[in-house]
Amino acid sequence: MGTGKENLQNLQIYCDFDGTITEKDMIITLMEQFAPQGWEAIKDAVLSRTISVQEGVGRMFAMIPSDQIQEMVEYARRIVQIRPGFAEFMDYVRRSSLEFYVTSGGMDFFVYPILAPWVPKEQIYCNRVDSTGPFIRIQWPHDCDAQCSGGCGCCKPSIMRQTRRPGCKQIVIGDSVTDAKAAKEADLVIARGYLVDICEQEHIPYRVFRDFYDVRNILEELRQEER
Ligand SMILES: [Mg+2]
Ligand SMILES: [Zn+2]
C-alpha cells in the first residue's frame, strides 16, 4: 500500500487523437484526398467558429460516397504518422495500470484500425459512420450532455464527467481548439500546438509536450509529487 503505482491509479487520462497521437489531422488529410471541391469552405467556417464542429464535420463527410470508405481506411493506414514514443507510452500505461482513454472527434472506421496495435476499442471514444446510404453519414454516440453548450460532436468534457471517479485527477492530452472545453474540465493539461495558447489565455494549469516520451516523463513527475 502507498506505493507509487497506487498514486498513478488515481489518474484518469483523456488523450486526443488527431494532431496528438497522430502528427497530422486525419480528417483534413482524408478530405484533401477524397472530398470534392467545396469542403474547404466548410473547414474554414468551423475554424472561424461560424458553424459547430459537429455541423462542419457532418457536412464534409456527407459529400463523400459510402463506397469509398474501404479506400479511405487503406489510405489513412498507409500515410498516418504516429507521434514518437506512443508505442512505448502505451506500454507504460499498461504496466502501470493507468486509466487511459482516447477521446477523438475522428471516425471509428479510421481511428479503430490505426490504434488497434495499442489501444482496445473499449478505451476509445469517437464518432461512428453510417455507410448504409449512398453518402457517408456521421452518428454521434457521445454527443454533448446538458452541461455543455453543444455542437462538439464527440463531447470530451461530457465523457470526462460520465467517467469521473471521485478522488481522481483528470489529465487531458491534446493539441487544439477541439480540446479547449476538456482542458477547462481537467486538473492538468498536457498540451502542444494551439492548446498551449488556450491554456495560457484561460489560466489553465498545463505542461508542454512534443512527443510521448515527454508525456511519460510528466506523468512520472506527477507521481513523484503525489508521493
Ligand atoms: Mg487534435
Ligand atoms: Zn460538448
Side-chain angles (χ1 to χ4, degrees):
M1 305 301 271
T3 62
K5 189 165 177 177
E6 203 172 76
N7 286 332
L8 268 181
Q9 285 167 348
N10 292 334
L11 303 180
Q12 295 182 292
I13 302 164
Y14 301 85
C15 184
D16 173 50
F17 176 73
D18 274 309
T20 298
I21 296 174
T22 66
E23 295 271 9
K24 276 205 246 169
D25 189 298
M26 292 307 290
I27 292 181
I28 301 294
T29 306
L30 287 171
M31 288 301 142
E32 283 169 351
Q33 184 74 8
F34 291 92
Q37 277 191 344
W39 75 272
E40 277 169 315
I42 302 172
K43 177 193 73 176
D44 292 342
V46 171
L47 292 178
S48 65
R49 305 197 200 186
T50 313
I51 59 174
S52 71
V53 173
Q54 188 168 25
E55 185 186 344
V57 170
R59 277 169 54 186
M60 284 195 282
F61 275 92
M63 301 170 94
I64 301 175
S66 293
D67 63 11
Q68 294 209 10
I69 282 193
Q70 197 47 45
E71 211 181 311
M72 290 172 92
V73 173
E74 282 157 25
Y75 181 75
R77 291 177 80 159
R78 195 164 66 241
I79 64 139
V80 70
Q81 283 179 288
I82 300 293
R83 190 168 299 281
F86 185 68
E88 293 85 347
F89 174 71
M90 286 312 297
D91 224 45
Y92 166 76
V93 163
R94 247 190 325 274
R95 276 187 286 110
S96 314
S97 308
L98 286 180
E99 193 174 333
F100 176 87
Y101 304 103
V102 172
T103 50
S104 171
M107 315 304 146
D108 55 358
F109 76 89
F110 64 88
V111 176
Y112 286 165
I114 288 172
L115 289 181
W118 310 287
V119 192
K121 278 184 191 174
E122 303 74 57
Q123 288 168 244
I124 301 173
Y125 291 86
C126 63
N127 299 312
R128 273 190 215 131
V129 295
D130 171 3
S131 56
T132 56
F135 290 89
I136 295 176
R137 267 196 310 238
I138 309 292
Q139 296 176 329
W140 316 97
H142 311 293
D143 211 344
C144 305
D145 65 17
Q147 290 179 64
C148 183
S149 52
C152 299
C154 180
C155 185
K156 300 181 186 198
S158 296
I159 293 163
M160 291 168 71
R161 285 188 283 269
Q162 280 160 24
T163 52
R164 184 185 291 279
R165 284 190 294 125
C168 286
K169 281 191 175 162
Q170 293 189 310
I171 316 279
V172 164
I173 309 169
D175 75 302
S176 190
V177 64
T178 55
D179 301 301
K181 288 181 190 172
K184 286 178 196 165
E185 193 87 357
D187 294 289
L188 176 73
V189 180
I190 303 178
R192 60 175 297 279
Y194 183 51
L195 188 59
V196 172
D197 301 339
I198 293 172
C199 289
E200 281 286 339
Q201 286 156 18
E202 307 275 345
H203 306 289
I204 297 166
Y206 74 96
R207 298 281 303 271
V208 175
F209 79 104
R210 289 155 305 169
D211 56 36
F212 279 90
Y213 299 108
D214 293 341
V215 176
R216 187 205 144 118
N217 290 340
I218 292 164
L219 290 176
E220 272 296 306
E221 277 174 36
L222 207 63
R223 176 176 118 160
Q224 301 300 329
E225 285 167 19
E226 299 261 306
R227 243 177 209 164

